Amino acid sequence: GSTAINGRGVEAVLVSTDNKFDLLRLVSILEGKVISSEATAAEGKRSFVGSARNTSLHLEQLRKIVEDALSRLHVVCCHSSSELVVSLQFLRSFIHNNPEACVVLLDDTASFYWMDRLD
């Protein structure tokens, strides 16, 4: 069976302007969420994480769930305000053509303020 983790299964776009996106941290958070959801769903039964007999099978399931989630994440890295403008214009058509893309995150709206001000 599948593990219910109360996700929406939609695509998301992260526009990274400060280049501090940490993929390993995101994987760790996703793994924790899946494990926590499984433990909650087990309601006192041995969860797949705690079962030594099925560890490799369930670690494979965990990997697959995390890979599936990451496959729906699109990261756009911008190194200047002009790249940000072009990326936002691209996102308009991307979202129009991909209705499953429901979340757009912009990590820092002021990243290029001082760089642009000096130009």
Side-chain angles (χ1 to χ4, degrees):
S2 65
T3 301
I5 57 173
N6 298 323
R8 298 196 183 259
V10 297
E11 293 193 20
V13 179
L14 169 65
V15 179
S16 176
T17 59
D18 63 5
N19 297 309
K20 293 181 182 176
F21 173 66
D22 187 346
L23 181 60
L24 293 177
R25 175 77 175 125
L26 178 59
V27 167
S28 176
I29 291 168
L30 289 171
E31 288 174 344
K33 176 67 175 165
V34 172
I35 291 167
S36 174
S37 295
E38 167 60 22
T40 301
E43 295 179 343
K45 299 175 187 173
R46 285 185 77 139
S47 71
F48 69 74
V49 176
S51 173
R53 186 175 56 139
N54 294 324
T55 299
S56 62
L57 171 66
H58 294 300
L59 289 177
E60 182 64 24
Q61 286 176 325
L62 177 61
R63 183 191 63 77
K64 186 172 180 162
I65 291 168
V66 170
E67 282 182 359
D68 183 52
L70 291 176
S71 74
R72 292 188 304 272
L73 174 64
H74 307 274
V75 180
V76 179
C77 296
C78 300
H79 299 93
S80 68
S81 59
S82 59
E83 284 184 10
L84 177 60
V85 169
V86 170
S87 296
L88 293 175
Q89 291 171 342
F90 164 76
L91 280 177
R92 184 176 181 187
S93 64
F94 177 82
I95 291 169
H96 178 72
N97 294 325
N98 296 285
E100 62 279 355
C102 297
V103 178
V104 175
L105 305 164
L106 178 60
D107 66 1
D108 188 357
T109 58
S111 289
F112 307 117
Y113 176 78
W114 290 109
M115 207 175 2
D116 289 346
R117 189 162 171 144
L118 294 174
D119 283 344

